[in-house]
Amino acid sequence: MLAEVASVLRCPVCGLGLELREARLVCDQGHNFDIAREGYVNLMPGRVRHEGDSSAMVEARERFLAGGHFEPLAALVAGRAAAVALAERPVVLDLGASTGYYLRAVLDSVDSARGVALDASKFAARRAARAHDRVGSVVCDIWHELPVRDLSVQVALNVFSPRNGPEGARVLAPDGALLVVTPEAEHLAELVGPAGLLSVDERKEDRVRAELEPHLSLVAADPFEFELNLGRSDARALIEMGPSARHLSADEIEARLDAFSWPLPVTGAVKLWIFRPATP
Ligand SMILES: C[S@@+](CC[C@H](N)C(=O)[O-])C[C@H]1O[C@@H](n2cnc3c(N)ncnc32)[C@H](O)[C@@H]1O
Ligand SMILES: [Zn+2]
């Protein structure tokens, strides 16, 4: 619910704090933002610059995640977040939250925490608004100024999503941490290679460091592997939720899936990075 997190949000037009008044968030300069019927608020100022994932991609992500194949990763993220979220009522900010799957896992493991889900996709924001009682869901563009107050966040999450170093550093509290999950080159390789799907940019590692290290201190970068046993419908959902979905028709996806025997054992291979505010 947005009521849980209104005090963490700021006006995207003037930067003043927002407060909840009836079904709106308002600032002292009179800028106001309606809360949508589905429970999220759009704080993307002006023209929409980035639409994020489509309705079909978000629906596929929800279907795939419901299969539980990424539960080991959610448990890892929740465990690391719980170790950091020591404040009395910690704020957890999920950048590119989509359905709020990882944010929910963190809130389930930290009873006192409240969460803010950010995503450019209104389809994602609708689902994240229902992810947990203690989540407020916001549409915004991560590549621009975040509608979040300075030093207000104990844990920020970037799971397979766009990062913003300067804004991450601005919103993190002094005792906060940014947890970043990126795919390794061999992530889901048993499916990605033979099915001809888009694969990970090999320079990703350098990119993460270049984006974040000027603004935050890297304190850990741990590889994590987990096994998945995918049924054909899981693999279909995995393709439909990712970047290949934009290039393949439903028939092309089925033709590629025909080449495998099911269930298919696949390896998840990611890196979990932890960044802290840089000490002056
Ligand atoms: C690969 S998905 C990961 C979603 C989620 N963290 C998960 O792992 O289930 C990336 C998400 O980032 C969102 N996104 C992409 N570009 C964005 C931007 N510039 N601002 C905000 N969200 C963005 C997409 O809409 C999508 O939901
Ligand atoms: Zn304002």
Side-chain angles (χ1 to χ4, degrees):
M1 299 240 305
L2 279 159
E4 292 276 343
V5 297
S7 63
V8 178
L9 301 176
R10 72 176 201 179
C11 175
V13 180
C14 69
L16 291 179
L18 287 170
E19 65 178 84
L20 188 63
R21 271 189 227 145
E22 291 163 21
R24 290 177 157 188
L25 290 177
V26 298
C27 77
D28 276 352
Q29 292 225 24
H31 302 119
N32 59 82
F33 307 89
D34 290 340
I35 296 171
R37 203 164 16 95
E38 299 92 344
Y40 69 91
V41 66
N42 187 340
L43 297 181
M44 185 102 78
R47 198 170 58 81
V48 173
R49 299 191 189 91
H50 194 291
E51 295 196 340
D53 281 3
S54 66
S55 170
M57 289 167 82
V58 175
E59 185 272 326
R61 182 173 297 277
E62 186 156 87
R63 237 186 308 132
F64 174 75
L65 291 171
H69 301 287
F70 277 13
E71 258 172 33
L73 179 57
L76 176 78
V77 170
R80 296 293 166 90
V84 173
L86 302 175
E88 203 172 305
R89 262 196 102 202
V91 171
V92 184
L93 180 71
D94 192 348
L95 299 133
S98 188
T99 61
Y101 179 74
Y102 298 94
L103 185 55
R104 175 170 44 216
V106 174
L107 297 185
D108 278 344
S109 72
V110 187
D111 284 347
S112 58
R114 52 211 166 115
V116 183
L118 303 183
D119 206 289
S121 162
K122 66 179 183 209
F123 307 106
R126 281 178 192 157
R127 284 173 202 258
R130 301 195 303 259
H132 200 287
D133 288 352
R134 285 178 270 128
V135 165
S137 176
V138 176
V139 170
C140 72
D141 186 347
I142 293 168
W143 282 319
H144 290 81
E145 285 181 4
L146 303 178
V148 174
R149 298 190 195 185
D150 296 0
L151 309 175
S152 61
V153 171
Q154 273 72 39
V155 182
L157 306 178
N158 255 147
V159 185
F160 306 128
S161 57
R163 297 163 291 271
N164 183 332
E167 284 293 280
R170 179 180 66 76
V171 302
L172 270 189
D175 61 348
L178 169 64
L179 311 190
V180 180
V181 176
T182 53
E184 299 276 46
E186 62 276 24
H187 184 51
L188 311 178
E190 299 88 339
L191 177 68
V192 169
L197 306 178
L198 296 176
S199 62
V200 175
D201 171 0
E202 282 167 19
R203 288 170 301 115
K204 183 150 220 157
E205 186 121 332
D206 296 341
R207 257 198 0 242
V208 173
R209 299 182 82 115
E211 284 164 357
L212 297 177
E213 275 195 312
H215 312 284
L216 296 157
S217 300
L218 177 61
V219 294
D222 299 326
F224 178 68
E225 290 203 355
F226 55 106
E227 296 306 317
L228 301 75
N229 204 25
L230 297 180
R232 183 172 174 132
S233 59
D234 298 318
R236 183 184 301 119
L238 192 57
I239 296 170
E240 289 171 346
M241 77 188 202
S244 301
R246 299 190 196 272
H247 311 287
L248 295 174
S249 69
D251 286 347
E252 284 167 326
I253 293 175
E254 292 311 320
R256 293 185 189 206
L257 295 178
D258 282 342
F260 295 89
S261 52
W262 305 98
L264 179 72
V266 172
T267 311
V270 301
K271 184 165 280 177
L272 177 74
W273 311 69
I274 302 183
F275 292 87
R276 293 277 197 177
T279 37

